[in-house]
């Protein structure tokens, strides 16, 4: 008889587009009983001040505005847990983790974060002090394993990025939705100079590009007749629908985090979208080049491939379908990732 699994899930779970919430949904699927502590609430002036002070190496804790530490102890006092899952616990105190271990020695405490937690702008004073007390620190950044160990993590596990089937899947689009969210080439995401330079290069060479993103993107609204800046991001179902509606989805990697893959690396194919991504070894291990996704190593190669695949609809659609099937058949889902972590813990 399979052992029943009880989990305490802690994280910032606001908004349907929130990947922390998606991982919580996966935890619900693998547990027999789950309790939740929503640690959201990082919007105060003092939180922002404390964050910036920490960036200047001043030893200031981030305020726990959600009172997550108190709520965790309340749950631990009342229930026995097999796993305590903490999603990017930047406001969790080491004393809280010690309290869990004192009360429940068999409970395994897991840290997960989709960010590069070896970089200071993602850390907190509490997070750094907590690292030695986690039974397992999970990261989707393969290149920071040694860094996390040098910061005190004892057991570091690398996992690939994932998708949430409830949210990321091929939608049946109406003609209106295809026109509203589609186009030749598109990008959904924040501004970075290299991304902007490449997109402007495509537009200057006759490729029609649509960008969903706010902030600095708005400075380029009228820079080219071939570049359409939508002025906002895309959220909820529109985010997933756009991947299917666009003929070519650009997938850039975040340079400030030194990424080799990103959430979109899996979300785009999972939504049935054709992905044109920066070429890395991790991308090539996730999706076979020119069969399940297409990669580029320079803006010139990207331009050449955009021109080619915009003219070869059948080949483009075949690659998009193969990428989707790879996501499903190799189980790149959140649930698949969570089950792999549980197997690792066991």
């Amino acid at each position: 008889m399979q052992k029943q699994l009880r989990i305490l899930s802690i994280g910032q779970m606001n908004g349907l587009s929130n990947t922390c919430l998606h991982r919580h949904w996966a935890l619900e699927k693998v547990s027999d009983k789950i309790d939740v502590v929503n640690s959201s609430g990082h919007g105060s002036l003092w939180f922002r001040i404390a964050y910036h002070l920490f960036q200047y190496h001043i030893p200031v804790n981030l305020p726990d505005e959600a009172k997550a530490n108190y709520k965790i102890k309340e749950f631990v006092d009342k229930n026995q847990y097999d796993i305590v899952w903490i999603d990017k616990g930047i406001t969790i105190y080491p004393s809280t983790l010690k309290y869990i271990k004192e009360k429940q020695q068999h409970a395994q405490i897991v840290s997960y974060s989709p960010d590069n937690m070896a970089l200071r702008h993602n850390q907190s004073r509490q997070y750094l002090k907590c690292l030695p007390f986690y039974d397992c620190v999970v990261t989707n950044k393969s290149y920071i394993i040694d860094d996390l160990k040098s910061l005190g993590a004892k057991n570091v596990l690398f996992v690939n990025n994932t998708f949430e089937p409830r949210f990321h899947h091929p939608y049946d689009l109406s003609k209106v939705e295809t026109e509203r969210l589609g186009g030749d080439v598109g990008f959904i995401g924040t501004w970075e100079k290299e991304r902007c330079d490449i997109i402007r290069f495509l537009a200057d060479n006759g490729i029609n590009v649509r960008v969903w993103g706010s902030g600095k993107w708005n400075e380029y609204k009228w820079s080219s007749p071939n570049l359409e800046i939508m002025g906002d991001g895309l959220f909820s179902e529109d985010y997933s629908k756009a991947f299917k509606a666009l003929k070519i989805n650009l997938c850039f990697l975040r340079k400030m985090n030194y990424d080799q893959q990103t959430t979109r690396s899996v979300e785009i194919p999972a939504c049935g979208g054709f992905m044109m991504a920066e070429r890395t070894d991790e991308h090539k291990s996730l999706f076979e080049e020119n069969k399940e996704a297409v990669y580029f190593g320079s803006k010139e190669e990207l331009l050449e491939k955009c021109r080619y695949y915009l003219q070869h609809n059948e080949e483009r659609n075949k690659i998009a379908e193969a990428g989707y099937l790879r996501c499903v058949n190799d189980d790149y889902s959140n649930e698949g990732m969570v089950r792999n972590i549980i197997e690792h813990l066991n």
Side-chain angles (χ1 to χ4, degrees):
M1 184 175 179
Q2 188 174 4
K3 180 181 180 293
Q4 291 187 331
L5 196 63
R6 182 149 192 175
I7 298 175
L8 178 59
S9 172
I10 301 123
Q12 302 172 48
M13 302 183 198
N14 292 344
L16 287 176
S17 303
N18 188 338
T19 60
C20 174
L21 178 61
H22 299 168
R23 289 184 287 275
H24 174 73
W25 289 345
L27 291 168
E28 287 181 325
K29 292 178 182 177
V30 303
S31 66
D32 299 282
K33 175 66 177 176
I34 189 166
D35 294 310
V36 59
V37 173
N38 191 337
S39 60
S40 299
H42 300 165
S44 73
L45 176 61
W46 171 236
F47 187 94
R48 295 195 294 273
I49 291 172
Y51 172 80
H52 287 293
L53 289 174
F54 175 75
Q55 299 309 306
Y56 286 101
H57 296 269
I58 297 172
V60 176
N61 288 327
L62 297 184
D64 177 15
E65 296 171 346
K67 297 183 179 179
N69 289 276
Y70 173 78
K71 294 173 183 175
I72 291 169
K73 291 178 181 178
E74 274 197 323
F75 274 115
V76 169
D77 284 340
K78 296 175 184 176
N79 307 295
Q80 292 290 315
Y81 294 102
D82 299 292
I83 295 173
V84 177
W85 177 285
I86 301 178
D87 212 288
K88 196 174 181 179
I90 56 173
T91 60
I92 305 304
Y93 289 103
S95 59
T96 301
L97 303 191
K98 291 178 185 177
Y99 188 86
I100 295 169
K101 282 299 183 183
E102 288 170 3
K103 292 285 184 174
Q104 304 184 27
Q105 292 183 1
H106 74 283
Q108 300 202 66
I109 309 174
V110 176
S111 168
Y112 180 97
S113 176
D115 297 320
N116 184 339
M117 299 308 291
L119 297 178
R120 194 168 183 86
H121 69 265
N122 289 322
Q123 299 167 347
S124 69
R125 187 168 181 248
Q126 297 104 301
Y127 175 82
L128 292 174
K129 288 190 172 185
C130 279
L131 276 173
F133 299 102
Y134 285 111
D135 294 293
C136 184
V137 176
V138 184
T139 178
N140 56 14
K141 318 293 183 191
S142 60
Y143 48 91
I144 68 169
I145 291 175
D146 289 339
D147 295 323
L148 290 172
K149 288 180 178 178
S150 69
L151 290 171
K154 295 177 293 188
N155 177 20
V156 183
L157 176 66
F158 165 69
V159 297
N160 286 309
N161 281 279
T162 53
F163 73 98
E164 176 49 51
R166 196 188 311 187
F167 191 71
H168 305 115
H169 61 83
Y171 286 82
D172 292 325
L173 304 179
S174 66
K175 183 179 179 181
V176 172
E177 287 175 323
T178 301
E179 291 175 354
R180 178 170 64 88
L181 299 169
D184 286 347
V185 178
F187 174 69
I188 305 168
T190 55
W191 184 93
E192 283 191 358
K193 185 180 185 304
E194 184 177 355
R195 299 173 178 182
C196 184
D197 290 345
I198 291 174
I199 286 173
R200 292 183 67 191
F201 175 78
L202 293 178
D204 290 342
N205 283 276
I207 302 296
N208 293 316
V209 186
R210 299 183 84 180
V211 173
W212 282 268
S214 56
K216 200 170 177 65
W217 280 121
N218 289 317
E219 297 178 15
Y220 299 88
K221 270 194 172 183
W222 317 114
S223 61
S224 169
N226 298 319
L227 177 58
E228 188 176 8
I229 305 295
M230 306 309 292
D232 289 301
L234 282 176
F235 306 97
S236 298
E237 289 185 352
D238 278 351
Y239 174 82
S240 299
K241 288 178 177 178
F243 291 145
K244 181 72 181 296
L246 289 162
K247 294 178 182 177
I248 295 175
N249 291 276
L250 299 178
C251 179
F252 296 113
L253 299 173
R254 197 163 178 79
K255 298 302 183 291
M256 68 184 298
N257 285 341
Y258 310 109
D259 285 345
Q260 301 299 304
Q261 56 174 283
T262 184
T263 54
R264 286 167 182 76
S265 304
V266 178
E267 291 169 352
I268 292 170
C271 292
F274 175 90
M275 181 169 71
M276 187 90 74
E278 294 185 61
R279 184 182 290 105
T280 67
D281 288 340
E282 289 183 23
H283 270 160
K284 291 193 290 183
S285 71
L286 285 167
F287 300 100
E288 187 174 351
E289 185 166 8
N290 298 327
K291 291 187 177 181
E292 297 167 333
V294 175
Y295 304 123
F296 65 92
S298 67
K299 62 184 181 181
E300 292 80 13
E301 183 182 9
L302 174 60
L303 174 62
E304 177 187 347
K305 290 187 172 181
C306 283
R307 286 172 171 166
Y308 177 85
Y309 283 104
L310 287 173
Q311 296 298 318
H312 294 80
N313 295 338
E314 186 176 345
E315 189 174 350
R316 189 181 69 242
N317 292 335
K318 186 177 179 180
I319 290 172
E321 174 67 15
Y324 167 72
L325 291 175
R326 180 70 179 271
C327 289
V328 175
N329 293 337
D330 283 17
D331 198 2
Y332 291 166
S333 69
N334 285 311
E335 182 181 354
M337 179 264 290
V338 167
R339 291 190 182 280
N340 287 337
I341 292 171
I342 292 172
E343 184 177 344
H344 174 80
L345 293 174
N346 291 335

